[in-house]
Amino acid sequence: MRRFTHFAALDWSGARGERQRGIALAVASGKAAPALVRPGHIWSRAEILGWLEAAAAAGDDVLVGFDFSAAFAFMDRGAYFPEWTNSPADMPGLWALVERLAATDPHYEAGSFLAHADARRHFRQSGGDVGDLFLPGGGRLRIVEQHQRETKQAASVSNFNLVGAAQVGKASLSGMRLLHRLRGRMPLWPVDPVPRTGPLLVEIYTSLAARAAGLPPGRSKIRDGEALDAALARLGSPPVHTRGPISDHAADALLSAAWLRSIAAEPAPWSPAPLTDRLARTEGWTFGIV
């Protein structure tokens, strides 16, 4: 089993604008308490990409978990975008398509992709803009999302749904633009094999860390330093000793970094039963869903 010395968790945002208060990055190193990278800083997506590129260039032995989806549903229809001639065959192709159509959008946004005539058919967007190929109800789900619902490991929302507080599609699209830039420099499990050394990306849900730390479903957000330290203790982590209020984004990143460290050496997260080679290439998987 691969061993890492650092564990980073990225709480992400797909909101419009250069800098996002919803972005937080934390690292747990060795057995020390997790710590925010640049605490108090309001990150841009470009700065996060720069941090990841630096980790890749340095060959840092870090497992990086990001809280957005690396792909859309594919296996249910045999395509990301049925009836679209340019629908890609795998995840790297999907990232390249999003980048090509959104290349002129600033700050790694993806509005131009969603405005494309063929793309918009598949999404539910604000203002009552529902594509004719959007699956009625909640939208199409990846295999991992179906599995976690069936096994009650986590809740999930379709990435084709871009409406509501729980939607993650916009964040995923902006994240795909970063994954496109990191392709060939930082591998992503499970589409890439786990390297013997150096950094590795995995998709995570911060709610999995919260559940592992004993927080009940639906009440997984931490906004108090003492509550965060209590949750960290349940993961076997030293406290961060934050006093008073803390943003839920910072708490999610800190708790998730400690959680990654607590489970990364276990075999189960690396070999979920439903995962196949084709699934790994097209939809990927959420680390920690077994």
Side-chain angles (χ1 to χ4, degrees):
M1 181 63 63
R2 167 72 192 277
R3 301 286 179 173
F4 296 90
T5 56
H6 307 285
F7 304 85
L10 173 61
D11 197 45
W12 188 243
S13 171
R16 296 182 65 182
E18 180 181 4
R19 297 189 177 276
Q20 304 297 330
R21 295 186 181 276
I23 294 177
L25 177 64
V27 177
S29 298
K31 296 181 179 180
L36 292 172
V37 179
R38 301 181 68 179
H41 179 68
I42 302 175
W43 287 89
S44 70
R45 287 181 280 262
E47 288 173 333
I48 291 292
L49 176 61
W51 188 90
L52 292 168
E53 289 174 329
D60 290 345
D61 192 27
V62 57
L63 180 64
V64 181
F66 56 83
D67 189 24
F68 59 82
S69 297
F72 293 106
F74 183 99
M75 300 293 286
D76 61 337
R77 301 287 301 278
Y80 297 116
F81 309 111
E83 300 188 26
W84 188 359
T85 303
N86 291 332
S87 184
D90 55 25
M91 283 198 291
L94 172 61
W95 308 335
L97 176 65
V98 173
E99 175 59 29
R100 179 169 62 82
L101 296 181
T104 60
D105 289 8
H107 318 309
Y108 300 99
E109 297 168 13
S112 295
F113 173 83
L114 292 169
H116 188 276
D118 288 302
R120 66 185 295 274
R121 299 182 67 191
H122 299 269
F123 292 89
R124 177 164 61 193
Q125 304 190 53
S126 59
D129 183 1
V130 181
D132 63 298
L133 294 178
F134 179 82
L135 185 69
R140 294 167 59 201
L141 295 172
R142 296 187 297 163
I143 297 298
V144 67
E145 293 158 354
Q146 297 175 30
H147 178 70
Q148 66 196 19
R149 280 187 171 192
E150 292 165 358
T151 58
K152 299 185 177 359
Q153 294 182 67
S156 54
V157 177
S158 171
N159 292 313
F160 291 104
N161 173 47
L162 307 181
V163 178
Q167 68 86 16
V168 293
K170 293 178 182 177
S172 297
L173 283 165
S174 65
M176 289 175 196
R177 296 190 66 186
L178 265 68
L179 293 176
H180 175 71
R181 283 161 173 76
L182 292 168
R183 188 68 185 153
R185 292 188 284 175
M186 186 177 288
L188 167 65
W189 177 89
V191 68
D192 300 309
V194 177
R196 293 184 178 180
T197 60
L200 177 66
L201 291 162
V202 293
E203 174 188 322
I204 63 171
Y205 284 154
T206 56
S207 62
L208 291 179
R211 287 197 181 190
L215 277 69
R219 291 190 292 166
S220 62
K221 294 301 181 183
I222 294 175
R223 298 180 175 87
D224 174 80
E226 291 186 2
L228 174 61
D229 282 349
L232 287 170
R234 288 190 285 271
L235 295 176
S237 171
V240 296
H241 295 302
T242 297
R243 295 290 177 260
I246 184 172
S247 79
D248 59 317
H249 305 293
D252 280 349
L254 289 162
L255 191 65
S256 296
W259 169 75
L260 275 175
R261 177 173 58 190
S262 72
I263 70 165
E266 299 175 4
W270 300 101
S271 54
L275 187 61
T276 63
D277 289 343
R278 186 167 184 245
L279 185 58
R281 291 193 308 271
T282 57
E283 292 190 0
W285 197 261
T286 305
F287 190 75
I289 297 291
V290 297

